[in-house]
Structure formats: C-alpha cells, structure tokens
Amino acid sequence: MLPPHDVLPARHDFAAYARTNWPQLVMTARLLTDDPGETEELARRTLVLTYARWRRVPRDDADFHVRRALVKGHLRRLHGRRAARRRAVLVLRLWVGMADVEIAQLLGCSVGAVRAHATRGLGEAGADAGRLRERYARAVEDVVPSEVPLAGIETSGRALRRRRLAVASAACAALLTPAALLTAGGIGGGGTDGTSGGGGESAARRAESPVRVVALGERVSAVPGVRMWLTADGGHWSASKGRHHVQRLTDSGLPLDEPGVSARVGYVRDRFFLSGLYRGLRGDPARVEVRTPTGTITASVLTLAGSPGWGIWYASTPLSGKDVKTLLAGGRSERNVTAYDASGKVAARSGIEVGLV
C-alpha cells in the first residue's frame, strides 16, 4: 500500500512525494501490467500526468489521484478490456487494500460492478483472495525499481501543463468574446426581492433537487464529465481529461464571520454549468436558487453529515452561451444566486464570475 499521509512531511512537494511513492507505484504497475518492460514506463507516465496538475491536487487526497491516473492510464491503453478491469479491481482490493466503494469511485462505476469484477476475476485466476494475495507478493519480490527519473518527469509534466493551459485559454477566449455581448443588459429583476416564485413551483423544484448528505471524499456526478466531493477543508471539483479545479473555504473569497455563497460558471465538454460554495449557515440550507435569463433554477446541494453549515451547490441544467454572457454581464453586483437557510429565509446572495473546469 502507498504510505499514509503522516509519513510525508507536512509541507511536502511533488519531488518528495514522487521519491517516497515511486517504489510502491512501480510494484503496483507491475501487478497491473504483468509486463516487466511496461512497468516503469506506466509509473513514469502516471507521475507526468500528476505533475501537470499537481497544483490542483489536494494534498490530503494525493494518493487517490495518483492511483486513479495509474489505473486509468493502464486501462486506456488497453481500451478498457474487461479482463484488465477485473485485474485492476483485484490489485486495488488485495494489494493496495482499497475498499470496494473507493474502487468504485476511482473507476467511475458502481460498487456492484466492482464486486462482480472481483468475483469473476478470482474465478479466472483460479484462487481465493488469500492465495492471490500471496501470488502478488511473490510477483513483486524481484522487482527492484530504478531511481525515479524526476527531471524527465518534471520536464514532460511542464510541457503537458502548458498544452492544457493553451486549451483552457482558448476556451476562455471563446466564452468571453465578443466583448460587446458582455456589456449587454443583465438579468431583469422584475421587481423581485429574491424570494422564490409560486409555492407549487418552488416545492416541485425542491423535490427535484434535494439536499444530499455525503461522506468525506464521496464522489458525486454533477454534470457529464464533472465529479464533485467534499473534504474537511472545503469543496473540490474534478473534471474530465485529467483537469481539476480545487476550491477551499479559506480561499473562496467568502466572508469568514457571516453567511456567504460563491458562484461561478464552468465549461467542460462543450457545455456551461453553474456551481459554488456556501458557508456560515446554521445547519443545511433549504435550497440554493439561481436566476437565469430563462428562469429560476433550484440547484442541488452537497453537505456533510452533521450539518457543518457549508458545502457545494451545483446546477445540472446546462446553459447556452448566450445565457452565460448575459449572466456574466451583471458581474458580482448582480445578486442572481440566493442561498436560503433551513427556515426558508434568505441567508446569502452572490453574483456569478467566470471559471474554467
């Protein structure tokens, strides 16, 4: 298994992490590939991908990101063959020591699928869990990892990060131009005070988008290509193609001593979506609503068990480019996002800013 977090220095950087975890990373790659010639190359590619997004990898969740990059990188080269997925499940379960729910989050499938893969994989291996674990231990006895090729990994990682930034910049440019559209009229208030509309419509929206209580690190599919989860220090977004956006309560710009809600528009897989953080509430919010040019959206809310008073909200309804430009025209001064407390009263309002996932 990868060493626990407290083995590493509190302020460890990528180089320290790579040196510490390289031997176990190589051994896990050896068990995944069963190919001595491919083993270290798979481990190297994994660290290149990790370095490219290291600034956005939560330090208390680094192992999960590295394991996911390792396994998905391996499966991608094999076009996701079932035999390879079954082997990956068994390696993660018996060698790495991950629980089925963690493996499901890593692979992006259900817990039932993980258990089915494990059962069939054990049948194909002709061994029970104990004997297969011993077989894995014997398979890596003679694996002697070379020194981690840190300089090459960092060079390749920087090049990959530059390519991704170029793609991100192009997407932002497409989002924010032409400038004339951004200065068009904002969202009409229609004299509303920010409370919800008719009681029937509001009740229907709440029924469709309930507050969801999640465990620490539990991945939730928000919109196609985007997963969200909560950790002890704030909210994190994980997007497709290895891009990650991380935002914690301490750097969200929200007031620390009063209720607040942040809002941003993201772009992934050729679609726009809204999300943000809320904090400072007494218990869970009743709902979060967003006024858009086409109507009011009731967002989905993720919070931790115990009602800590903060969490993530997101709107799964996709937005058109025209709607996004109108929303951004109002800027932070246009209070089109409203969080309501448990009693149904307005707890916080916010405008919307641009973001990129």
Side-chain angles (χ1 to χ4, degrees):
M1 295 179 60
L2 295 178
H5 297 298
D6 55 7
V7 170
L8 300 171
R11 296 177 61 84
H12 70 277
D13 58 7
F14 174 82
Y17 185 91
R19 292 190 183 100
T20 301
N21 290 280
W22 175 253
Q24 291 295 333
L25 188 62
V26 170
M27 291 181 188
T28 304
R30 174 69 174 83
L31 294 177
L32 288 172
T33 63
D34 200 24
D35 181 354
E38 172 66 12
T39 295
E40 290 204 359
E41 176 58 22
L42 174 59
R44 187 196 69 82
R45 289 196 305 266
T46 298
L47 289 182
V48 168
L49 291 172
T50 303
Y51 183 83
R53 57 176 179 255
W54 185 248
R55 297 173 185 174
R56 294 188 171 188
V57 172
R59 296 303 185 262
D60 59 353
D61 208 19
D63 292 348
F64 178 89
H65 287 263
V66 173
R67 289 168 183 157
R68 183 172 60 182
L70 176 72
V71 173
K72 291 204 167 184
H74 171 59
L75 295 178
R76 192 177 300 115
R77 291 177 65 84
L78 298 178
H79 305 291
R81 295 174 189 166
R82 288 186 180 180
R85 290 180 71 85
R86 292 170 187 168
R87 186 184 184 96
V89 166
L90 291 174
V91 169
L92 292 172
R93 191 194 239 194
L94 303 178
W95 174 256
V96 179
M98 295 178 67
D100 288 346
V101 65
E102 296 174 309
I103 298 173
Q105 292 171 1
L106 186 149
L107 292 177
C109 64
S110 68
V111 175
V114 169
R115 291 170 180 164
H117 281 313
T119 300
R120 292 168 186 165
L122 286 172
E124 292 170 353
D128 59 23
R131 287 200 298 269
L132 189 55
R133 190 179 288 109
E134 292 174 358
R135 191 182 301 175
Y136 286 162
R138 290 194 300 270
V140 298
E141 280 181 354
D142 298 329
V143 175
V144 182
S146 62
E147 184 177 353
V148 56
L150 192 57
I153 287 170
E154 292 181 345
T155 298
S156 299
R158 281 192 292 269
L160 178 59
R161 185 165 59 211
R162 285 194 294 269
R163 290 196 297 271
R164 288 177 172 173
L165 287 174
V167 173
S169 298
C172 280
L175 172 64
L176 295 174
T177 57
L181 291 178
L182 288 176
T183 57
I187 300 174
T192 180
D193 62 357
T195 58
S196 61
E201 292 181 2
S202 179
R205 284 195 297 269
R206 287 197 297 274
E208 294 171 359
S209 302
V211 174
R212 176 171 174 177
V213 179
V214 296
L216 285 171
E218 179 180 348
R219 268 66 176 172
V220 175
S221 179
V223 298
V226 178
R227 288 189 171 196
M228 297 183 176
W229 67 95
L230 299 174
T231 67
D233 58 357
H236 301 259
W237 288 257
S238 176
S240 62
K241 298 182 181 179
R243 294 197 304 270
H244 294 80
H245 170 74
V246 179
Q247 187 180 13
R248 296 181 178 85
L249 292 172
T250 53
D251 58 20
S252 65
L254 296 177
L256 298 179
D257 56 352
E258 60 186 39
V261 59
S262 70
R264 56 192 287 122
V265 56
Y267 180 81
V268 68
R269 289 189 179 180
D270 301 322
R271 61 182 284 164
F272 303 101
F273 67 97
L274 298 169
S275 63
L277 295 171
Y278 70 88
R279 66 155 294 140
L281 276 65
R282 294 184 178 179
D284 298 333
R287 66 191 185 280
V288 174
E289 290 186 343
V290 185
R291 287 187 293 122
T292 75
T294 56
T296 299
I297 299 171
T298 299
S300 298
V301 175
L302 302 182
T303 185
L304 292 172
S307 301
W310 65 267
I312 292 174
W313 67 266
Y314 63 89
S316 56
T317 304
L319 299 175
S320 68
K322 181 179 179 181
D323 287 345
V324 168
K325 290 170 183 176
T326 304
L327 284 170
L328 294 177
R332 300 293 293 179
S333 61
E334 182 71 34
R335 301 306 206 194
N336 36 37
V337 179
T338 306
Y340 296 86
D341 63 20
S343 67
K345 296 180 180 179
V346 174
R349 287 194 177 101
S350 174
I352 296 175
E353 60 187 42
V354 68
L356 183 67
V357 175

